[in-house]
């Protein structure tokens, strides 16, 4: 410690500050490395959580003293060794709940809750359960459901039916078919009392209405888009049936067909009551008859009249009473019908078919003559009868089928066989392509392929020329070492030494020859230069001296090489 203290005291304040900063940086770096190592071990527990679910999961992790981290996108990260365990614990607690609670909201009884709060909780629970049911579809990633219960009232005009809306978020690349949309509507309507499937609206997150609206007129009395789509679907269905029937009979390119459908989109109820006066039936019958055989009481009132032996009656008095009554009611027969008119019923159907003429050529070459043959009346009649059976022709309804024959434009502009050059066939010049070239000629004509081949050939030639030019510009390869060659061939040391001597002799002779030629060249250049510049009376020694000096200044390397050569020759 004393040495450390003396060392610390011997340092200046700058050195102390630098040492302290370095110590703090090392500690911070170590702490960051430890924290990074801890964070690297975290793995996703759940992803894409709603805020409500994320808050519940984080609260449970805090209570369990589990290290966690929340990242963007609703992802909760936990240590990798506890991912499976924590998922099971969260599943047992009913988490995640997809953002909305279900009927588990009523697991705890609250005696102080009001009736309004009870109704609100019931609606929340019902909407949450419907969301879970809709999200069970494979195409749906998220769902939101809103339900409005029916409003009851004593007055009919104040009553309101139940309504609901379902918003779905589809998975990437998925789509809901019309059958799935209808299924979602019926699922929601079956779970809510008094809710009709037509009152459920289904839309996606982009605001597109997926549920098909009712076939009704808009505010200005025009047909809605659903009506037009329904009519077009009927026309496409009829046209598909016609093509499937006439293609084998006439050929796919030998006719054209069109269908026009008139639909009745009015709907309602009709009541009909019919009376038949020729038929009557007894409805009620009443018959009453009263008869009395005893004599009526008569005489003078008093005791004498009531005695067992009354006094004789007066002449003209009645001896009994009789009454008969009969009442019969008859009514003519009647028929009462209640008819509900369907919406979108077929009112009228019109079908038109145009059949092409057959083309035949008479003659050959330039004298070929075009002959058009219309289809026979029997063929047209067969086509009409077949169409009547396919589309369900009803003359009482006003249906109409038109079958006519006219030559098509392609038939009128067809070329004679002699001048035509179909793909894969003989060309005008008499060239017959091989079998492997037919697919290529189907994609592009022969001149295009010839031009492409010529361009490719030019490119290959240019590349070959550049390659050969580069090879010729390179320096010649070094001569093979005879000693190395002999060693590779398995020669003896004496043979290797002889090979080395011969190689050295050859190299020395080549060098001497080169130096001699170089010397002669320099001498000739010097003499030529002096003959042009100096007078003829100058001495030869001076001329050579000046020429050698000038040549040395111009090319010192060549001069040095020349001197080395002279020294080698003298040696």
């Amino acid at each position: 410690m004393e040495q450390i203290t003396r060392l610390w005291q011997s340092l200046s304040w700058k050195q102390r500050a630098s040492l302290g900063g370095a110590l703090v940086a090392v500690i911070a770096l170590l702490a960051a490395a430890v924290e990074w190592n801890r964070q690297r071990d975290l793995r996703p527990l759940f992803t894409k959580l709603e805020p409500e679910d994320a808050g519940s999961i984080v609260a449970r992790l805090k209570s369990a003293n589990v290290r966690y981290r929340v990242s963007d996108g609703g992802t909760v990260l936990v240590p990798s060794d506890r991912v499976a365990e924590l998922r099971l614990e969260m599943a047992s607690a009913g988490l995640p709940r997809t953002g909305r609670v279900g009927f588990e909201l009523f697991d705890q009884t609250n005696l102080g809750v009001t009736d309004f709060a009870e109704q609100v909780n019931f609606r929340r629970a019902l909407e949450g359960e419907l969301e879970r049911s809709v999200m069970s579809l494979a195409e749906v990633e998220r769902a939101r459901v809103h339900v409005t219960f029916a409003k009851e009232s004593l007055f009919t005009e104040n009553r309101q039916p139940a309504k609901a809306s379902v918003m779905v978020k589809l998975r990437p690349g998925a789509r809901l078919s019309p059958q799935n949309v209808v299924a979602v509507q019926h699922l929601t309507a079956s779970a809510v009392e008094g809710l009709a499937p037509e009152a459920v609206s289904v839309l996606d997150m982009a605001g597109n209405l997926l549920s098909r609206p009712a076939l009704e007129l808009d505010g200005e009395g025009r047909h809605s888009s659903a009506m037009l789509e329904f009519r077009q679907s009927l026309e496409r269905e009829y046209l598909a049936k016609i093509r499937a029937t006439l293609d084998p009979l006439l050929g796919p390119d030998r006719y054209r067909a069109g269908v026009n459908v008139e639909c009745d989109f009015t709907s309602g109820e009709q009541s009909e009551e019919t009376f038949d006066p020729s038929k009557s039936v007894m409805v009620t019958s009443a018959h009453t008859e009263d008869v009395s055989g005893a004599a009526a009481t008569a005489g003078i009132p008093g005791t004498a009249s009531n005695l067992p032996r009354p006094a004789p009656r007066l002449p003209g008095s009645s001896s009994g009473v009789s009454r008969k009554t009969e009442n019969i009611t008859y009514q003519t027969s009647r028929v009462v019908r209640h008819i509900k008119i369907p919406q979108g019923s077929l009112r009228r159907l019109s079908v038109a078919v145009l059949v092409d003429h057959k083309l035949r050529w008479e003659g050959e070459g330039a004298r070929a003559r075009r002959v058009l043959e219309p289809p026979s009346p029997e063929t047209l009649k067969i086509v009409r009868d077949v169409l009547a059976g396919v589309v369900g022709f009803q003359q009482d309804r006003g249906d109409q089928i038109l079958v006519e024959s006219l030559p098509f434009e392609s038939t009128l502009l067809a070329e004679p066989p002699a001048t035509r050059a179909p793909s894969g066939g003989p060309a005008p010049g008499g060239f017959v392509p091989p079998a492997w070239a037919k697919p290529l000629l189907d994609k592009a004509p022969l001149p295009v392929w010839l031009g492409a081949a010529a361009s490719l050939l030019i490119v290959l030639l240019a590349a070959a020329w550049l390659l050969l030019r580069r090879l010729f510009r390179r320096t010649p390869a070094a001569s093979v070492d005879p000693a190395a060659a002999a060693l590779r061939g398995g020669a003896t040391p004496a043979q290797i030494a002889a090979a080395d001597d011969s190689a050295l002799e050859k190299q020395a002779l080549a060098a001497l020859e080169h130096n001699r030629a170089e010397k002669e060249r320099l001498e000739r250049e010097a003499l030529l230069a002096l003959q042009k510049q100096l007078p003829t009376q100058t001495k030869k020694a001076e001329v050579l001296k000046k020429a050698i000096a000038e040549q040395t200044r111009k090319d010192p390397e060549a001069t040095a090489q020349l001197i080395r050569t002279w020294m080698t020759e003298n040696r």
Side-chain angles (χ1 to χ4, degrees):
M1 291 298 296
E2 294 179 357
Q3 293 179 358
I4 295 175
T5 304
R6 287 196 301 270
L7 180 62
W8 177 260
Q9 292 177 356
S10 63
L11 297 176
S12 63
W13 65 271
K14 290 184 179 181
Q15 293 175 346
R16 294 177 182 178
S18 302
L19 186 59
L23 183 61
V24 171
V26 170
I27 294 174
L29 184 60
L30 290 176
V34 172
E35 184 65 21
W36 174 79
N37 189 29
R38 293 180 58 193
Q39 297 294 336
R40 185 184 62 174
D41 190 45
L42 297 180
R43 293 293 181 269
L45 180 63
F46 294 106
T47 59
K48 298 181 180 180
L49 291 173
E50 295 293 335
E52 296 88 350
D53 291 339
S56 302
I57 292 174
V58 168
R60 284 191 169 271
L61 293 176
K62 284 183 179 179
S63 62
N65 197 17
V66 177
R67 184 165 54 90
Y68 70 91
R69 182 165 61 90
V70 180
S71 62
D72 296 338
T75 302
V76 179
L77 304 174
V78 295
S80 59
D81 56 346
R82 300 197 60 185
V83 171
E85 177 186 355
L86 292 174
R87 284 181 180 175
L88 292 177
E89 292 181 3
M90 297 302 168
S92 62
L95 294 174
R97 299 191 184 94
T98 67
R100 296 291 293 272
V101 294
F103 283 112
E104 66 270 8
L105 187 63
F106 297 98
D107 292 342
Q108 298 178 357
T109 304
N110 189 0
L111 299 178
V113 67
T114 62
D115 182 66
F116 176 76
E118 191 76 16
Q119 293 295 327
V120 171
N121 290 336
F122 175 73
R123 188 168 72 174
R124 289 177 57 197
L126 183 60
E127 290 177 353
E129 294 293 337
L130 287 174
E131 287 179 6
R132 296 176 183 177
S133 300
V134 174
M135 288 176 59
S136 62
L137 295 176
E139 295 83 359
V140 180
E141 182 179 356
R142 288 284 183 269
R144 295 281 293 177
V145 179
H146 302 280
V147 178
T148 302
F149 293 114
K151 182 180 179 182
E152 301 294 340
S153 177
L154 297 176
F155 301 99
T156 307
E157 61 271 8
N158 292 336
R159 296 177 183 175
Q160 295 182 2
K163 295 174 290 184
S165 59
V166 180
M167 180 176 289
V168 294
K169 180 182 179 182
L170 303 180
R171 300 185 186 277
R175 61 179 296 273
L176 280 180
S177 62
Q179 292 81 5
N180 297 135
V181 175
V182 174
V184 171
Q185 289 180 307
H186 282 271
L187 172 67
T188 308
S190 301
V192 181
E193 183 181 0
L195 179 61
E198 295 79 10
V200 180
S201 301
V202 182
L203 64 158
D204 58 7
M205 292 299 178
N208 300 320
L209 185 63
L210 303 179
S211 57
R212 184 183 299 274
L215 297 176
E216 58 183 7
L217 299 178
D218 56 9
E220 300 181 0
R222 296 174 299 184
H223 288 201
S224 63
S225 59
M227 295 181 182
L228 297 178
E229 185 178 354
F230 175 75
R231 177 181 173 182
Q232 292 173 359
S233 64
L234 285 180
E235 292 177 352
R236 287 194 297 267
E237 183 178 356
Y238 278 116
L239 193 58
K241 291 181 179 179
I242 292 172
R243 288 176 177 172
T245 305
L246 295 184
D247 280 355
L249 181 62
L250 301 176
D253 297 331
R254 307 300 299 175
Y255 73 96
R256 295 293 182 270
V259 179
N260 182 38
V261 175
E262 294 182 9
C263 298
D264 187 6
F265 294 103
T266 59
S267 63
E269 294 184 359
Q270 180 180 0
S271 299
E272 181 180 352
E273 187 175 0
T274 305
F275 292 91
D276 190 358
S278 62
K279 297 179 182 180
S280 62
V281 65
M282 182 175 61
V283 179
T284 60
S285 176
H287 183 73
T288 305
E289 185 175 355
D290 295 336
V291 178
S292 178
T297 304
I300 301 171
T303 304
S305 299
N306 294 319
L307 291 175
R309 294 179 179 179
R313 296 179 181 180
L314 297 175
S317 62
S318 174
S319 61
V321 178
S322 178
R323 185 179 61 182
K324 184 184 291 185
T325 303
E326 186 176 5
N327 186 9
I328 300 174
T329 304
Y330 293 91
Q331 186 176 359
T332 57
S333 62
R334 64 174 182 172
V335 178
V336 180
R337 295 187 181 92
H338 294 281
I339 304 172
K340 185 176 182 180
I341 302 175
Q343 196 173 17
S345 60
L346 186 60
R347 180 187 298 174
R348 186 182 178 187
L349 179 65
S350 300
V351 180
V353 176
L354 184 62
V355 183
D356 191 13
H357 286 192
K358 294 183 180 180
L359 179 61
R360 182 170 55 86
W361 296 92
E362 293 183 354
E364 296 180 356
R367 297 182 180 180
R369 186 170 60 90
R370 181 186 294 106
V371 178
L372 299 176
E373 296 180 356
S376 62
E378 291 79 7
T379 303
L380 298 180
K381 184 178 182 303
I382 291 174
V383 171
R384 190 182 186 283
D385 295 341
V386 169
L387 289 176
V390 170
V391 300
F393 176 76
Q394 295 182 10
Q395 189 173 2
D396 299 338
R397 193 173 54 188
D399 295 351
Q400 186 180 10
I401 296 179
L402 298 177
V403 180
E404 298 292 341
S405 175
L406 286 175
F408 290 175
E409 189 71 16
S410 59
T411 304
L412 296 176
L413 298 178
E415 298 179 358
T419 58
R420 288 184 299 174
S423 60
F431 171 71
V432 179
W436 58 268
K438 290 183 179 180
L440 300 177
L441 294 178
D442 291 338
K443 296 181 179 180
L446 184 60
V448 175
W449 292 110
L450 293 177
S455 302
L456 181 61
L457 182 61
I458 291 174
V459 171
L460 292 177
L461 291 176
W465 180 77
L466 292 176
L467 182 61
L468 293 176
R469 184 179 179 184
R470 182 174 297 180
L471 290 176
F472 286 142
R473 283 185 176 181
R474 290 181 180 177
T475 58
S479 59
V480 180
D481 189 2
L487 186 59
R488 287 195 301 267
T492 60
Q495 294 175 350
I496 294 173
D500 291 340
D501 295 340
S502 62
L504 291 174
E505 283 185 40
K506 291 180 180 179
Q507 292 179 1
L509 291 175
L512 291 174
E513 193 68 26
H514 175 72
N515 293 333
R516 188 180 294 106
E518 189 68 22
K519 179 181 177 182
E520 293 177 357
R521 182 180 67 81
L522 292 175
E523 290 178 354
R524 285 197 301 270
E525 291 180 357
L527 289 175
L528 291 174
L530 291 174
Q531 288 176 2
K532 293 179 180 180
Q533 296 178 4
L534 299 177
T536 56
Q537 65 271 15
T538 309
K539 295 181 179 180
K540 184 177 181 180
E542 294 179 359
V543 172
L544 291 177
K545 182 179 178 181
K546 291 182 179 179
I548 291 172
E550 186 177 356
Q551 188 65 27
T552 302
R553 287 194 299 270
K554 290 182 180 180
D555 195 354
E557 294 181 359
T559 305
Q561 183 65 24
L562 180 61
I563 295 173
R564 292 194 194 98
T565 303
W566 291 343
M567 293 172 66
T568 303
E569 290 177 353
N570 295 333
R571 189 181 303 150

